[in-house]
Amino acid sequence: MEFPFDFIAIVRKVNRAAALTGAGVSQESGLRTFRDAQTGLWAQYKPEELASPEAFARDPKLIWDWYAWRREGVKAVRPNLGHYALVEMAHRIPDFTLITQNVDGLHRLAGSPQVIELHGNIQRVRCAECGAIVEDWDDDNAAVPRCASCGGLLRPHVVWFGEPLPRAELESAMEAARNCQIFFSIGTSGVVQPAATLAYAAHNRGAVVVEINTEQTPLTAKADFFFQGKSGEILPELVKAVWNSETINGEQ
Ligand code: OAD
């Protein structure tokens, strides 16, 4: 990928940057994006129909099982070069805020120093009644496990459609978007609010908006730079072009 000279010059001298990532960043690790068709057992459902409080109220076991299946999938995968390139960017840019909609924890696993997880983390579970965070539960049961203290059903500690985002995380993400000089939107369809507004908040405050995606999105027309392709390829190329540095896969 040839990056425009003015883009490289901007990234080299920038002090404050923010990046928002979505499911596309984990696609090359082997995880499906949300808006891909599902396969196998789950092919008959749309993720949007499973990731909601209404769905859980209607059929808690179905939703629990979908998350248990996804949790296993996440445990089996590793970060890819896109995740590692973002670690490198955080080391190169003095103030770099990484915001993710992903619940897979792969940015932390790759070693990103600070990650704002807007939609929670799939490995965590809480009681749907009393809200207690639960560390241990029995997944072999035929029924959804229950909270040891109040007996409520357990659910994933993630944000579902129609639920508010964690307040502190959303405020920090908004502040980073408003204060950054450059905003990267990477591997996200940009259709789920309020995460999707972050790029516009940055744009409205004069930040340079950069999009990396295999497809065009509603943001593309507003982006100052659009790099079409896989984030696991483009991000390491960007790191090399800007800082003449190789992305190190932390596991090697
Ligand atoms: P989506 O599945 O909506 O979008 C994934 C985006 O990644 C698409 O725009 C793809 O074109 C792009 N893409 C796919 N592979 C890529 C690759 N290798 N490199 C770069 N881009 C690639 O996922 P999100 O935008 O993350 O929310 O979805 C946002 C939210 O909607 C999710 O966090 C989840 C979901 O429903 C909740 O569950 C609350």
Side-chain angles (χ1 to χ4, degrees):
M1 156 98 31
E2 282 288 313
F3 295 98
F5 182 73
D6 54 342
F7 169 76
I8 292 178
I10 291 168
V11 184
R12 262 189 201 146
K13 66 171 199 277
V14 93
N15 285 316
R16 293 184 311 281
L20 172 70
T21 64
V25 167
S26 297
Q27 185 264 337
E28 290 154 89
S29 289
L31 295 177
R32 303 200 140 255
T33 64
F34 268 88
R35 284 160 188 83
D36 269 354
Q38 301 222 78
T39 50
L41 263 184
W42 304 102
Q44 53 183 312
Y45 302 102
K46 282 189 177 161
E48 296 91 323
E49 288 162 4
L50 297 171
S52 79
E54 294 78 17
F56 187 69
R58 206 167 36 236
D59 191 345
K61 181 72 174 127
L62 176 78
I63 308 310
W64 178 267
D65 285 350
W66 185 56
Y67 276 93
W69 172 75
R70 287 180 55 206
R71 222 167 9 241
E72 288 314 304
V74 165
K75 277 188 196 148
V77 302
R78 308 300 303 161
N80 63 60
L81 282 180
H83 294 105
Y84 291 115
L86 284 161
V87 178
E88 181 71 16
M89 287 169 74
H91 291 142
R92 297 280 176 173
I93 299 175
D95 182 349
F96 184 84
T97 305
L98 181 57
I99 308 157
T100 189
Q101 300 164 89
N102 298 342
V103 296
D104 54 36
L106 290 180
H107 286 303
R108 283 180 199 277
L109 200 56
S112 277
Q114 276 171 353
V115 188
I116 299 177
E117 291 180 323
L118 280 183
H119 291 167
N121 191 307
I122 199 168
Q123 302 300 351
R124 305 185 76 201
V125 161
R126 72 168 187 263
C127 173
E129 296 300 324
C130 71
I133 306 287
V134 176
E135 302 290 344
D136 284 315
W137 63 91
D138 183 5
D139 241 340
D140 301 330
N141 225 307
V144 176
R146 288 186 177 270
C147 174
S149 48
C150 81
L153 293 174
L154 298 187
R155 58 159 284 179
H157 192 35
V158 299
V159 176
W160 280 336
F161 281 95
E163 293 184 328
L165 269 59
R167 196 175 158 160
E169 278 81 351
L170 183 58
E171 276 172 10
S172 309
M174 232 351 143
E175 194 181 311
R178 290 203 186 106
N179 291 329
C180 70
Q181 298 157 308
I182 190 165
F183 185 94
F184 295 88
S185 177
I186 311 167
T188 174
S189 56
V191 295
V192 175
Q193 298 295 353
T197 58
L198 293 169
Y200 296 91
H203 174 81
N204 292 343
R205 290 288 189 104
V208 173
V209 173
V210 182
E211 184 176 40
I212 298 171
N213 200 304
T214 46
E215 311 282 339
Q216 298 207 6
T217 74
L219 179 67
T220 310
K222 278 255 189 256
D224 297 283
F225 298 96
F226 172 59
F227 301 121
Q228 187 160 18
K230 296 184 169 188
S231 51
E233 293 169 5
I234 292 185
L235 286 169
E237 286 171 17
L238 184 159
V239 163
K240 186 161 175 44
V242 174
W243 295 288
N244 197 22
S245 148
E246 296 293 335
T247 292
I248 309 294
N249 174 342
E251 289 160 79
Q252 281 173 350

